[in-house]
Amino acid sequence: MSSPVNLQEKLREHRLEYTVLCAFQDDIHSLVRLASAALLWEQDKEAFLEQHVAPVIDKLLNCLRKTYGSYHLALEKISTTAILWEILALENLFLSDIDAALHNDPATQDPLEIIVCYPGFKAIRYHRIAHIFYRHQIPLLPRMIAELAHEVTGIDIHPGAQIGSHFFIDHGTGVVIGETSIIGKSVSIYQGVTLGAKRFYRDEYGKVLKGMERHPIIGDKVTIYAGATILGRIKIGEGSSIGGNVWLTEDVPANSRVTQQRYLSTFFSDGDGI
Amino acid sequence: MSSPVNLQEKLREHRLEYTVLCAFQDDIHSLVRLASAALLWEQDKEAFLEQHVAPVIDKLLNCLRKTYGSYHLALEKISTTAILWEILALENLFLSDIDAALHNDPATQDPLEIIVCYPGFKAIRYHRIAHIFYRHQIPLLPRMIAELAHEVTGIDIHPGAQIGSHFFIDHGTGVVIGETSIIGKSVSIYQGVTLGAKRFYRDEYGKVLKGMERHPIIGDKVTIYAGATILGRIKIGEGSSIGGNVWLTEDVPANSRVTQQRYLSTFFSDGDGI
Amino acid sequence: MSSPVNLQEKLREHRLEYTVLCAFQDDIHSLVRLASAALLWEQDKEAFLEQHVAPVIDKLLNCLRKTYGSYHLALEKISTTAILWEILALENLFLSDIDAALHNDPATQDPLEIIVCYPGFKAIRYHRIAHIFYRHQIPLLPRMIAELAHEVTGIDIHPGAQIGSHFFIDHGTGVVIGETSIIGKSVSIYQGVTLGAKRFYRDEYGKVLKGMERHPIIGDKVTIYAGATILGRIKIGEGSSIGGNVWLTEDVPANSRVTQQRYLSTFFSDGDGI
């Protein structure tokens, strides 16, 4: 453990004023909203991104440069134009995610309902944009994008997670997808599913090692039902279904069905509950 | 899967501008707040609803008429006065839900605390109002009411669910109650409980069939503990208790207790975790 | 059950106007934010608390006095200065919680990221302050602080819970920690974990008894994985690990590992899901 004094000094290095933080958060919401509007509705996407999204990105990056200092390598190297091209390339992914919701959810047939009311589509929109900044090793911003989506949707996707097309999260509250997760195409995930780490690796001083591959790899066309907890660098084979509330820490071959052991059933004799 | 081009054309048909959407969301929150104030506090409920709630409903319906076009049958037929009468009829249900919280939660005896601090009571308020519009087959609005409650409370109740009096959700984060669920009187549900579909029915072209009965039927006086996942058109008999974290896809007779299989217990020999 | 008429009369006694309620909620967020700023960043913490936090506490207590009447004993007795000293004493606890996140999460090494993006650290900040008011038996306020944190983070900690230093909640959505829980030092908890009551005690008239000890006692250095449900006044011994999705209602000795029964695994023969 670090001493309180050291920690407090480290804290003082990078202080984000409250008003700056609020503006920063508002700008993140605007970024995702405008980028989504460009990809989903606009005819001339490029011009719209240039005109409306570029200034927001500039503002966010400048705020980070002030907080982390001008010698931060990734913040030096990144260009807003490069980011715009990467956002433009998300168009088909966004459409594929809407399509997956239409294809999998019997409760709707209205794409507007998916865009406006589906927390899963909101979370994946925020994530796909956060992931761009994560790949450029930008500090704080990717994690803040993820956490703002988490606040609103209850879905916590680490910006490092790699997620294929046609991704569908239904309901979503409590979903956690860890930093080094790799998810194939046409995967469906329900509320409360965890793709997490089983154990952490520590160095000889007991310090936890950062960035190791430690989360699951999910094959194409896998469905994971509500509340399943899947931990460690394991592989769930293509086309498998994982039942609700399962605790799973081993590989699963393709086309498997994994379910919880049958429950115990008794009857009340005295009326006093579980 | 639909082609991206078709999907994008369909999206362009019904576009909701961002500023319109924000106003729409604010109006929904006002609707529920004012309707609740009328039912819980006001002496002359009818006059209060006429004066304060009717204009908000008019505004919401007009916005929908602009978005979905003037030929939408349900939007043509619905009258604000009819909605007001249905809201007025919720009074005893609202009181019964507060009463259920007072009766079941050892942590409070203050009704104001339940109204102001209980996410479960907030979620059921939004739901009972959303359900009125759902029965009138109004597009988008019922689902948006539900999703706004979901954002704030983490409780996701589809507006189609039929829920009896004295309903109590404690804590509530992660609760999901599907479209065709039927819940009896005096039912208590804890956080993370799912009443979901087990499988979807698809037509001969692989297209998912919308609106089929596919969610559980919960009898009177049933208690469902945290994290239980109950899937399919099954019946949980009156007075039963379902233990936490159970995965349940079969009928359960009245007065049953259902619990998870006993866990495995070992001890650490090397200190390195699960 | 109480009659609707009685309940409605009781409701009319303590009505909180909507505008007052909104101001009250804003003041709570300011209180936690300013108190945190004082403890984490300021050099002269005492002066900052006096100048910025004291007026907010005064405002909140005055609003409560208006709502609950001037004869409320706890509201009579409490002094803002006493509260300030108790907030000041939280400094090392706050630092220990940041330290625990740095020590346990391989996904970060930036304390600013923990302060700004970690819902677990947000929830424990709100809780440690709510707990001060709970110990002084202030009505409504502690529970509202807790519920505002719950809304934002999905983590529901009852203000009565006693929580030791170096507490780490990762992701956190769906965590519930009940009123009489006692948690040791250096405990780590993941999303969806419940520390709840197993049954309630009712008096001879069937009225639930308030305030009984009914939640778990968690020893030092315990880790509880995602979705575990732990109910009743049981003890989890020091250094134990509780696996994900376990349903646990019995004592566990020190250094135990508790996991769910092995799942069932089959393969698809007809392709139609779980």
Side-chain angles (χ1 to χ4, degrees), chain A residues 194-196 198 216 218 224 227-236 240-243 245-252 258-259, chain C residues 244-245 260-265:
Chain A
T194 294
L195 307 181
K198 191 179 162 193
I218 311 295
I224 309 175
T229 300
I230 304 178
L231 300 191
R233 191 58 162 187
I234 62 174
K235 287 184 196 182
I236 309 296
S240 294
S241 284
I242 310 298
N245 299 18
V246 163
W247 157 259
L248 186 60
T249 59
E250 299 165 77
D251 282 358
V252 165
V258 172
T259 54
Chain C
N245 298 21
Q260 201 184 67
Q261 284 283 346
R262 204 181 143 74
Y263 50 83
L264 299 172
S265 186

Side-chain angles (χ1 to χ4, degrees), chain A residues 33 39 41 91 99 103-105 108 110 117 171 173 191 199 244-245 260 262 264 266 268 270 273, chain B residues 1-2 8 11 15 18 68 147 150 156 194 200 210 227 229 245 247 250 255-257 259 261 272:
Chain A
R33 177 171 60 78
L39 300 183
W41 316 103
E91 179 182 353
D99 206 38
H103 188 70
N104 286 299
D105 187 357
T108 193
D110 179 356
C117 308
H171 313 296
T173 311
Q191 64 275 11
R199 67 180 64 187
N245 299 18
Q260 201 185 68
R262 206 180 142 74
L264 298 172
T266 56
F268 288 103
D270 55 1
Chain B
M1 302 260 160
S2 43
Q8 221 151 17
L11 282 178
R15 174 167 178 171
Y18 178 68
Y68 284 87
E147 185 50 27
H150 183 202
D156 188 355
T194 294
F200 306 143
K210 311 284 177 180
T229 301
N245 298 21
W247 157 258
E250 297 165 77
N255 300 310
S256 308
R257 308 184 199 204
T259 53
Q261 284 283 347
D272 64 356

Side-chain angles (χ1 to χ4, degrees), chain C:
Chain C
M1 302 260 160
S2 44
S3 80
V5 176
N6 288 352
L7 183 55
Q8 221 151 17
E9 265 169 31
K10 210 173 167 188
L11 282 178
R12 289 213 186 89
E13 280 172 36
H14 307 313
R15 174 167 180 172
L16 208 59
E17 289 298 332
Y18 178 67
T19 48
V20 177
L21 180 65
C22 290
F24 198 76
Q25 292 179 334
D26 287 347
D27 287 338
I28 289 175
H29 284 303
S30 299
L31 166 65
V32 179
R33 177 172 61 79
L34 292 166
S36 305
L39 300 183
L40 295 176
W41 316 103
E42 294 300 324
Q43 295 282 359
D44 189 345
K45 296 167 203 310
E46 239 182 283
F48 189 91
L49 287 172
E50 274 289 355
Q51 195 183 341
H52 297 285
V53 176
V56 183
I57 294 173
D58 284 337
K59 224 179 125 190
L60 287 166
L61 293 176
N62 284 334
C63 176
L64 288 173
R65 286 184 190 112
K66 268 182 209 147
T67 306
Y68 284 87
S70 50
Y71 299 110
H72 193 289
L73 193 64
L75 287 169
E76 281 293 290
K77 277 172 55 183
I78 199 166
S79 100
T80 297
T81 312
I83 300 287
L84 288 188
W85 283 108
E86 294 183 50
I87 289 176
L88 198 58
L90 294 179
E91 179 182 353
N92 282 328
L93 280 175
F94 275 33
L95 291 173
S96 81
D97 297 329
I98 297 175
D99 206 39
L102 283 173
H103 189 70
N104 286 300
D105 187 358
T108 193
Q109 34 199 333
D110 179 356
L112 186 60
E113 203 171 284
I114 291 163
I115 295 170
V116 170
C117 307
Y118 274 53
F121 182 57
K122 187 172 280 181
I124 190 68
R125 279 196 321 257
Y126 276 72
H127 170 71
R128 295 202 188 279
I129 289 170
H131 188 62
I132 293 174
F133 293 101
Y134 175 89
R135 276 192 280 116
H136 287 277
Q137 302 184 282
I138 298 302
L140 200 66
L141 177 60
R143 192 72 184 251
M144 276 194 66
I145 299 175
E147 185 50 27
L148 289 177
H150 183 202
E151 274 188 16
V152 177
T153 65
I155 299 167
D156 189 355
I157 309 179
H158 193 286
Q162 297 166 52
I163 303 180
S165 70
H166 297 87
F167 186 54
F168 178 52
I169 301 177
D170 205 3
H171 313 296
T173 311
V175 165
V176 170
I177 299 176
E179 182 175 17
T180 64
S181 305
I182 300 175
I183 297 176
K185 294 176 188 172
S186 301
V187 169
S188 293
I189 283 182
Y190 288 83
Q191 65 276 12
V193 165
T194 293
L195 307 181
K198 191 179 163 193
R199 66 180 65 185
F200 305 142
Y201 302 90
R202 295 184 187 271
D203 66 15
E204 48 188 319
Y205 308 105
K207 218 180 143 183
V208 72
L209 292 172
K210 312 283 177 181
M212 307 278 285
E213 289 172 352
R214 59 197 185 281
H215 298 103
I217 299 173
I218 310 295
D220 296 347
K221 295 180 192 165
V222 166
T223 301
I224 309 175
Y225 286 86
T229 300
I230 303 178
L231 300 191
R233 191 58 161 187
I234 61 174
K235 287 184 196 182
I236 309 296
E238 190 175 322
S240 294
S241 284
I242 311 298
N245 298 21
V246 163
W247 157 257
L248 186 61
T249 59
E250 298 166 76
D251 281 0
V252 166
N255 301 310
S256 309
R257 310 184 198 204
V258 172
T259 54
Q260 201 184 67
Q261 284 283 346
R262 204 181 143 74
Y263 50 83
L264 299 172
S265 186
T266 56
F267 293 88
F268 288 103
S269 49
D270 55 2
D272 65 356
I274 268 305

Side-chain angles (χ1 to χ4, degrees), chain B residues 15 44 47 54 92 101 119 127 139 167 194 201 211 221-222 233 250:
Chain B
R15 174 167 178 171
D44 189 344
N92 283 329
H127 170 72
F167 185 56
T194 294
Y201 302 90
K221 295 179 193 165
V222 166
R233 191 58 160 186
E250 297 165 77

